[in-house]
């Protein structure tokens, strides 16, 4: 056992004394020490119940003969942080979470790890830590929030954001907004659509690092606690067999995750996070590969925001392994990949079935022959820009229009609320990238306001920042290089024509090269408010979005 180096022999009596001070008996100290990385807090609805999930995990570890030792990480609620300064502190926490878990696990010589994430940046942060530590590791999420139907269709967090836009244009009353506000988020769990949190939790299953059901069983179901107990027991089986995180997190497993991603129509943020996870695992990853997999993978599910179904519906239909089984009919899954069950993905899929073909369509009845995400390239995005094409109206798959340029999310929000954006416009929001923001803010308030005003089929948005997984419409983010790093998006002027061709994977500024050169020679960057503390350090080290917005020192690849 790895922990023996800090607990065995006379010379380790001081360490054993300290463990006893924490309440551990000699018998507990002799057993394998299992770190339980829990993101519980009392702020985030996706995390308020994780103390109970952790208790169930620890019961499972105890039943299987291990000693569980729980510690906590931070977690930011993107919904609460949305639309103000707080959103700068979302993506950057991914690195803090990975670093803090590394520190705890290495310092205390844990033999194995159980990770309990729920929301947006916590899942990839913990996956990065798992790859970095390369210990026997397993994940169990807090599960999705339920979606309620109050008579006008199922609700979720995005319903509230869009209702605000509808109120601004007089389409609903304040009383209507209040009703949506009360019902849209009925309890604990990660927001109920295929937004970023649920996307990443589902992809953790596809990677093979979580037991079946981890991504889809609703947070309030008793099955969530039973799964947590099984997870605690299973980490001991992984330890006994010497199966470590990178034995599972292989290039083939990453391909499986990307394939399931395309079939589900996951958040655009998965492209950002899978790049960061691949880097930690020493795996190659490119946005061109994402396009290749998307081109070969049918879109089988339309969960909110792309459609009316929610993750609870996906769970009832058979979950992630049922989706994978449908994809296997086309030979798209790498079925020999090892998983935390101790069996292969193919073995796991054999136990799954598609119980509702309205939720999980079969390949011969797919929503589209291509996957949910697309990467666009062109002079505006030599390094790529990401769009959730499965949530784009067919009429907006190709669009050309005049640029309406804003140097911050706040400027764009003011213009939208004032009715200054009209049909045909291309809203350009820059200096919101990883370095320029800093922090690469999500802009759900912007996209939802446009949708709530009924303009989502007539207005496109492009940005070097990000869009929430709850976003729908022609919203293209992650433009690389970003404005703060000299990207062409920084030279766009109001009225310039921007050409968007999602099927052709093209995003271009229709301005002559000599004019672009003239603008570049005369360019003076706008004055930005100074940043301090962690954001200052983050801005100095963060890479571009196409590299996963990871922290990179000089000389790093």
């Amino acid at each position: 056992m790895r922990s023996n180096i800090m607990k065995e022999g006379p010379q380790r009596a001081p360490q054993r004394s300290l463990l006893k001070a924490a309440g551990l008996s000699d018998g507990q100290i002799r057993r394998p020490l299992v770190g339980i990385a829990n993101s519980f807090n009392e702020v985030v609805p996706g995390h308020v119940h994780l103390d109970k999930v952790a208790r169930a995990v620890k019961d499972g570890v105890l039943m299987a003969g291990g000693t569980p030792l729980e510690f906590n990480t931070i977690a930011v609620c993107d919904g609460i942080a949305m639309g103000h300064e707080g959103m700068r502190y979302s993506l950057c926490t991914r690195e803090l979470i990975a670093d803090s878990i590394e520190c705890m696990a290495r310092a205390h010589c844990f033999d194995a790890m159980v990770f309990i994430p729920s929301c947006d940046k916590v899942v990839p942060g913990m996956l990065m830590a798992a790859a970095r530590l390369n210990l026997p590791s397993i994940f169990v999420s807090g599960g999705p929030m339920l979606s309620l139907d109050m008579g006008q269709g199922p609700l979720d967090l995005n319903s509230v954001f869009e209702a605000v836009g509808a109120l601004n244009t007089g389409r609903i009353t304040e009383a209507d907004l209040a009703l949506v506000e009360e019902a849209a988020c009925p309890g604990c769990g990660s927001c109920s659509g295929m937004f970023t949190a649920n996307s990443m939790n589902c992809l953790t299953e596809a990677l093979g690092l979580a037991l079946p059901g981890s991504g889809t069983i609703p947070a309030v179901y008793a099955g969530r606690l039973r799964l947590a107990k099984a997870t605690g027991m299973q980490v001991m089986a992984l330890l006994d067999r010497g199966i470590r995180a990178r034995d599972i997190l292989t290039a083939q497993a990453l391909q499986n995750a990307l394939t399931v991603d395309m079939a589900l129509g996951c958040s655009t943020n998965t492209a950002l996070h899978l790049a960061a996870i691949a880097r930690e695992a020493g795996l190659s990853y490119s946005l061109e590969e994402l396009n290749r997999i998307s081109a070969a993978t049918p879109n089988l599910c339309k969960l909110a925001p792309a459609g009316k179904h929610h993750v609870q519906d996906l769970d009832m239909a058979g979950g992630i392994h049922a989706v994978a089984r449908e994809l296997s009919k086309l030979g798209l899954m790498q079925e020999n990949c090892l998983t935390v069950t101790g069996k292969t993905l193919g073995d796991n899929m054999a136990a799954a079935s598609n119980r509702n073909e309205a939720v999980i369509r079969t390949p011969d009845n797919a929503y589209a022959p291509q996957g949910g995400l697309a990467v666009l390239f062109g002079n505006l995005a030599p390094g790529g820009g990401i769009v959730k094409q499965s949530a784009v109206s067919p009429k907006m798959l190709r669009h050309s229009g005049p640029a309406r340029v804003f140097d911050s999310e706040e400027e764009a929000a003011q213009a939208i609320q004032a009715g200054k954006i009209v049909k045909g416009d291309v809203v350009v929001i820059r200096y919101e990238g990883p370095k320029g923001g800093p922090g690469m803010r999500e802009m759900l308030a912007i996209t939802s306001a446009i949708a709530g005003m009924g303009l989502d089929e007539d207005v496109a948005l492009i940005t070097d920042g990000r869009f929430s997984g709850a976003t729908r419409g022609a919203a293209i983010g992650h433009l690389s290089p970003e404005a703060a790093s000299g990207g062409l998006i920084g030279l766009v002027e109001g009225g310039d024509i921007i050409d968007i061709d999602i099927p052709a994977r093209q995003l271009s500024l229709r301005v002559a090269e000599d004019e672009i050169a003239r603008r570049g020679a005369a360019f003076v960057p706008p004055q930005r408010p100074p940043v301090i503390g962690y954001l200052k350090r983050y801005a100095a080290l963060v890479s571009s979005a196409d590299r996963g917005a990871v922290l990179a020192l000089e000389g790093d690849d």
Side-chain angles (χ1 to χ4, degrees):
M1 289 188 296
R2 182 173 176 273
S3 61
N4 286 346
I5 65 172
M6 70 85 176
K7 69 184 185 185
E8 277 196 344
Q11 73 277 14
R12 296 305 187 197
Q15 284 82 357
R16 291 194 298 275
S17 180
L18 289 168
L19 291 171
K20 289 178 179 180
L24 298 186
S25 67
D26 285 322
Q28 288 176 303
I29 294 171
R30 283 193 294 269
R31 295 171 187 158
L33 304 184
V34 179
I36 313 294
N38 188 6
S39 51
F40 164 79
N41 64 51
E42 294 182 342
V43 181
V44 186
H47 297 248
V48 294
H49 63 304
L50 295 187
D51 55 337
K52 299 176 180 63
V53 175
R55 179 66 268 165
V57 167
K58 289 186 284 187
D59 287 347
V61 172
L62 291 167
M63 286 189 287
T67 297
L69 296 173
E70 181 184 356
F71 62 94
N72 280 83
T73 68
I74 62 171
V76 167
C77 178
D78 279 22
I80 296 174
M82 193 76 65
H84 57 86
E85 186 68 17
M87 181 46 71
R88 300 192 194 282
Y89 290 89
S90 173
L91 177 61
C92 66
T93 65
R94 189 185 67 184
E95 271 58 34
L96 286 175
I97 290 162
D99 291 349
S100 65
I101 292 172
E102 176 194 357
C103 292
M104 287 294 291
R106 295 290 189 212
H108 301 108
C109 299
F110 294 139
D111 296 298
M113 291 291 303
V114 180
F115 297 89
I116 309 175
S118 190
C119 291
D120 299 47
K121 307 312 160 299
V122 186
V123 191
M126 288 188 174
L127 284 165
M128 291 165 67
R132 193 182 298 176
L133 292 169
N134 198 27
L135 296 170
S137 300
I138 192 168
F139 282 67
V140 59
S141 80
M145 188 183 292
L146 290 177
S147 172
L148 301 180
D149 189 335
M150 304 303 290
Q152 295 183 331
L155 298 172
D156 53 52
L157 176 64
N158 199 33
S159 306
V160 193
F161 277 100
E162 292 192 4
V164 172
L167 176 68
N168 289 339
T169 56
R171 299 171 71 192
I172 66 170
T173 66
E174 288 192 16
D176 295 328
L177 175 61
L179 289 173
V180 176
E181 176 185 331
E182 287 292 324
C185 299
C188 64
S190 46
C191 294
S192 54
M194 192 51 72
F195 311 151
T196 304
N198 289 326
S199 294
M200 289 307 304
N201 283 320
C202 288
L203 295 189
T204 302
E205 271 194 60
L207 286 168
L209 285 167
L211 296 178
S214 179
T216 59
I217 297 173
V220 296
Y221 287 7
R224 174 63 46 185
L225 298 182
R226 293 195 298 270
L227 180 70
K229 289 177 184 176
T231 298
M233 297 181 71
Q234 190 60 25
V235 77
M236 297 302 296
L238 295 173
L239 179 60
D240 289 344
R241 292 182 57 182
I243 298 173
R244 298 186 294 172
R246 273 187 257 164
D247 296 328
I248 295 170
L249 188 51
T250 62
Q252 292 74 28
L254 184 65
Q255 183 175 331
N256 282 338
L258 283 166
T259 303
V260 171
D261 188 338
M262 297 308 131
L264 289 174
C266 289
S267 164
T268 52
N269 287 311
T270 59
L272 195 72
H273 298 319
L274 288 173
I277 294 160
R279 181 176 183 268
E280 293 288 354
L283 303 174
S284 63
Y285 176 94
S286 72
L287 294 179
E288 289 83 358
E289 176 73 357
L290 189 154
N291 266 349
R292 184 191 68 78
I293 291 175
S294 181
T297 306
N299 180 208
L300 302 183
C301 302
K302 274 196 179 291
L303 288 86
K308 64 180 181 179
H309 298 128
H310 288 76
V311 181
Q312 66 200 45
D313 303 309
L314 177 61
D315 184 65
M316 290 294 292
I320 300 307
H321 284 78
V323 175
R325 187 166 182 173
E326 293 293 349
L327 294 168
S328 71
K329 296 175 181 178
L330 299 176
L332 296 175
M333 300 303 295
Q334 305 295 311
E335 297 186 32
N336 290 327
C337 286
L338 181 64
T339 74
V340 290
T341 65
K343 303 175 182 179
T344 66
L345 177 66
D347 293 332
N348 296 343
M349 290 191 313
S353 62
N354 185 351
R355 298 190 292 267
N356 188 340
E357 293 183 4
V359 176
I360 305 172
R361 290 196 174 185
T362 57
D364 59 0
N365 188 37
Y367 285 103
Q370 297 187 342
L373 300 184
V375 186
L376 310 187
F377 296 96
N379 63 355
L380 270 173
I386 310 291
V387 63
K388 183 187 278 196
Q389 62 179 353
S390 60
V392 178
S393 167
K395 67 179 288 188
M396 288 298 290
L397 290 174
R398 292 183 174 88
H399 178 78
S400 296
R404 299 290 177 256
V405 184
F406 306 96
D407 286 342
S408 70
E409 177 186 1
E410 288 81 3
E411 288 181 17
Q414 290 171 7
I416 291 167
Q417 291 167 6
K420 296 181 179 179
I421 303 302
V422 299
K423 291 183 177 182
D425 284 349
V426 178
V427 177
V428 178
I429 307 175
R430 58 196 183 190
Y431 295 102
E432 292 289 1
K435 186 179 295 292
M440 204 178 184
R441 291 190 288 180
E442 289 183 345
M443 302 180 200
L444 180 58
I446 297 286
T447 56
S448 296
I450 287 176
M453 294 164 67
L455 292 174
D456 55 300
E457 294 192 355
D458 299 285
V459 170
L461 296 94
I462 67 170
T463 182
D464 51 11
R466 297 183 297 133
F467 295 115
S468 166
T471 292
R472 60 186 174 95
I476 305 160
H478 306 201
L479 267 64
S480 298
E482 61 178 290
S485 296
L488 182 58
I489 187 175
L491 301 182
V492 178
E493 295 182 357
D496 288 348
I497 300 300
I498 292 175
D499 296 317
I500 299 168
D501 190 335
I502 294 174
R505 307 296 191 253
Q506 289 292 312
L507 176 64
S508 301
L509 177 68
R510 200 191 304 173
V511 172
E513 288 294 328
D514 58 348
E515 172 61 14
I516 291 174
R518 185 196 66 77
R519 293 181 189 180
F523 178 69
V524 177
Q527 291 294 314
R528 305 285 293 166
V531 292
I532 60 173
Y534 179 56
L535 283 183
K536 184 176 182 179
R537 298 197 300 276
Y538 182 82
L541 295 174
V542 70
S543 72
S544 60
D546 60 314
R547 295 179 58 198
V550 297
L551 300 187
L553 298 173
E554 186 175 351
D556 285 354
D557 56 20

